[in-house]
Amino acid sequence: MNTSLPPYRTSAHSAGAHPGTVASGTPRTPHTRRALSVAAFAAVALTLSACAPGAGSGGGSSSESAGGSATAGSTDGADAAEPVNAAQRDSRAEVPTLTPRVVLSHDGGLVTLDGETGEVVHEEEVAGFLRLNNAGDGQHVMVSNGDQFEVYNSGIDAQGHGDHFHYYESDPGLSGIEFAAPYAGHVVIHHGLTTLFGDGDGSIQTFTSEHLKDGQPRTETTATDDPHHGVAMQLIDGTLLTTQGTEEGRNTVQVKNTGDNGEIGEVVAETTDCTGVHGEAAAAPNENGDVVVLGCEDGPVIYRDGEFHKVAAETEYQRTGNLAGSEDSSVMLGDLKTDAEAEFERPTQVALIDTLTDSLQTVDLGSSYWFRSLARGPEGEALVLTYDGELNVIDEETGEITAEIPAIEPWEEKDEWQQPGPILKVADSMAYVTDAENQQLVVIDLEAGEVVNEFDLEVTPVEMAVVTGHPEAPEHEAGASDAGHSGGEEAATEEEGHEDHAGHDH
């Protein structure tokens, strides 16, 4: 990506904004810090490594919408006077240490908690059904709200300086940075970049994650041939991986060349053998670059060594649409549905997909789960929160369930996926689990295998993002990998989503 342009522009709605912008006009009211009731068992500080890319640059839009032969474009940010998040930047102050922050969406807005004490750091009233994803820089959270992605500042930032870090806090809240995207969909963070997908127009917007700290970032944009519920990500070698499809169906994944200025070139790899393609996640890269898994209804596909590889399905219908990956493990965790006729399937098995051998192993948990139940631990272990309220820890190599940690009260998925239910997120060695029915946030020390904190909530959480101040998916060198089947010392935090490296159902 070209980073030679100014670092920010004055408004997310200035010239060059993507067509289809819908101004929400929603009142947003921040509230002061206050405390929640806390049942504290221990407090644990989180420390992660960080790698920050260079200075940011101004925001942009695509040159064509979906439906044509789209080419990439970007804005030059020439009208910049000050960043849209200037007030938050001015409030920045150095502090001796940081604690994680937990951002929750609920019916009415956003609330941010201190991850160690449960104290409410900030509240903001926002109307709408709000979806949350880590933005990639360790400080910001992407808020999907209808036809736009809004950027929320958690208020913490860790900046690397030689062999140590400096820590900063700033005023939390919506930053004013926005990206228009009709039917805002998947967010993927990878290799220091953030990619946003608009289902309503097939728009793909990619920017350097760290540039959010400078204001509205310069954005490379393109679009798929037709609008569809899709996903895209820029790979280490600069190529763009994207789905292709329509509202009626999708079974194609492509990898395309990109030019020095972000223009999209020819297709260099393609598969049409991925019925109902949904979700992606990156596994451990190899010496030739990225290894990426995409979910399908007839067995997943793996992009590796410049080609797509199909994982054979044991039955005609074997859907793996939600994935949780670790870039320190060559094994991918996925959900597993096998009943094509079921109106509402409640699976008890999960899939462990070996990206080196293009094979799939199943693990029966004895209890069902849903799309917000999957995560990865600090050593690459697979984590699944099941209906019985237990956090299952699975050795991703053998498929052995090594621990069943009591986490929350038993629960069951509701008929509508938008209704609140348990959420599982991981940051370093801590797992964060919401109990929507009982309005609690539970913190689990994965190394100790026990609950260390339980916080009562005054809202019913719908979605959650956990930030530590350190980038969740920092930039790294192409082809640099020591990872094999054994996990590395520190796993990448899991959503892709669509959340980091996790796919999702919706």
Side-chain angles (χ1 to χ4, degrees):
M1 296 180 65
N2 186 342
T3 58
S4 61
L5 300 175
Y8 48 74
R9 60 190 176 96
T10 56
S11 171
H13 299 293
S14 62
H18 195 284
T21 299
V22 177
S24 64
T26 304
R28 297 178 173 88
T29 307
H31 296 282
T32 55
R33 179 187 294 250
R34 57 187 173 77
L36 291 170
S37 59
V38 177
F41 297 93
V44 182
L46 299 183
T47 303
L48 295 174
S49 63
C51 177
S57 44
S61 68
S62 67
S63 57
E64 286 189 335
S65 60
S69 178
T71 57
S74 61
T75 58
D76 57 15
D79 61 342
E82 65 176 13
V84 293
N85 61 343
Q88 290 178 341
R89 284 161 52 100
D90 291 345
S91 70
R92 176 183 170 99
E94 189 163 6
V95 295
T97 188
L98 295 177
T99 56
R101 289 191 174 175
V102 179
V103 183
L104 302 171
S105 69
H106 59 92
D107 184 11
L110 301 167
V111 59
T112 298
L113 313 179
D114 183 300
E116 286 191 1
T117 67
E119 182 181 9
V120 173
V121 176
H122 179 260
E123 289 183 283
E124 190 148 350
E125 294 180 4
V126 187
F129 178 67
L130 308 177
R131 308 209 63 187
L132 305 180
N133 289 280
N134 291 73
D137 65 345
Q139 176 178 340
H140 293 92
V141 173
M142 303 301 301
V143 181
S144 304
N145 188 3
D147 290 338
Q148 62 186 353
F149 295 97
E150 301 182 69
V151 179
Y152 179 87
N153 175 29
S154 71
I156 59 173
D157 180 27
Q159 287 291 318
H161 186 243
D163 60 353
H164 63 281
F165 290 92
H166 291 269
Y167 305 111
Y168 300 89
E169 289 187 355
S170 58
D171 293 340
L174 287 171
S175 65
I177 302 171
E178 298 176 358
F179 302 85
Y183 294 97
H186 281 255
V187 177
V188 176
I189 56 176
H190 180 63
H191 183 48
L193 300 174
T194 304
T195 300
L196 313 176
F197 196 95
D199 290 350
D201 62 354
S203 59
I204 300 169
Q205 305 179 64
T206 301
F207 57 88
T208 300
S209 308
E210 284 284 323
H211 291 181
L212 288 172
K213 298 173 183 178
D214 297 326
Q216 189 79 29
R218 179 185 178 278
T219 305
E220 302 288 1
T221 62
T222 185
T224 56
D225 296 340
D226 295 287
H228 66 285
H229 181 49
V231 66
M233 67 185 293
Q234 188 163 324
L235 303 179
I236 296 174
D237 61 7
T239 56
L240 178 73
L241 183 149
T242 181
T243 57
Q244 293 282 4
T246 66
E247 294 180 0
E248 287 72 39
R250 53 191 191 272
N251 60 10
T252 300
V253 188
Q254 297 175 336
V255 175
K256 295 184 174 184
N257 275 329
T258 57
D260 292 339
N261 294 318
E263 66 273 11
I264 303 302
E266 64 181 0
V267 174
V268 296
E270 179 180 82
T271 179
T272 58
D273 193 14
C274 188
T275 304
V277 56
H278 184 276
E280 61 70 45
N286 64 18
E287 63 275 8
N288 296 320
D290 281 305
V291 176
V292 181
V293 180
L294 295 105
C296 317
E297 294 177 358
D298 52 357
V301 295
I302 300 169
Y303 178 72
R304 185 186 68 246
D305 300 329
E307 297 178 341
F308 286 98
H309 307 263
K310 184 69 174 179
V311 177
E314 294 181 358
T315 58
E316 182 177 351
Y317 179 84
Q318 190 176 51
R319 184 180 189 271
T320 51
N322 300 284
L323 303 166
S326 164
E327 290 198 357
D328 287 318
S329 172
S330 59
V331 177
M332 184 70 59
L333 170 66
D335 65 344
L336 190 66
K337 295 184 177 181
T338 57
D339 187 354
E341 304 302 321
E343 181 178 353
F344 196 94
E345 186 174 0
R346 302 178 188 272
T348 61
Q349 290 186 324
V350 293
L352 297 175
I353 304 160
D354 191 323
T355 64
L356 298 181
T357 61
D358 304 330
S359 60
L360 183 151
Q361 176 184 8
T362 62
V363 179
D364 198 320
L365 303 172
S367 181
S368 192
Y369 57 94
W370 75 327
F371 74 101
R372 293 190 176 105
S373 289
L374 309 179
R376 301 300 289 268
E379 300 298 327
E381 65 269 36
L383 304 174
V384 185
L385 181 71
T386 45
Y387 279 12
D388 55 13
E390 293 187 341
L391 180 61
N392 296 264
V393 182
I394 307 169
D395 184 314
E396 79 280 12
E397 299 292 337
T398 66
E400 179 188 358
I401 300 173
T402 60
E404 298 173 75
I405 305 171
I408 61 174
E409 293 297 317
W411 57 281
E412 188 171 289
E413 181 179 355
K414 297 181 174 66
D415 291 341
E416 299 294 333
W417 68 267
Q418 296 93 336
Q419 294 178 297
I423 312 162
L424 169 63
K425 297 289 181 181
V426 173
D428 197 28
S429 62
M430 295 291 136
Y432 299 80
V433 181
T434 62
D435 185 339
E437 291 298 317
N438 296 291
Q439 292 188 247
Q440 281 194 323
L441 172 66
V442 176
V443 183
I444 298 170
D445 184 333
L446 292 171
E447 293 180 348
E450 61 185 16
V451 172
V452 293
N453 273 316
E454 292 178 335
F455 304 127
D456 293 327
L457 304 172
E458 294 185 4
V459 299
T460 301
V462 175
E463 294 223 343
M464 172 171 59
V466 181
V467 294
T468 64
H470 298 264
E472 293 91 5
E475 183 179 7
H476 47 274
E477 293 297 324
S481 173
D482 296 324
H485 267 95
S486 60
E489 293 183 356
E490 183 176 286
T493 57
E494 179 275 333
E495 246 229 69
E496 354 212 101
H498 52 264
E499 303 156 350
D500 195 8
H501 300 288
H504 59 93
D505 258 333
H506 308 286

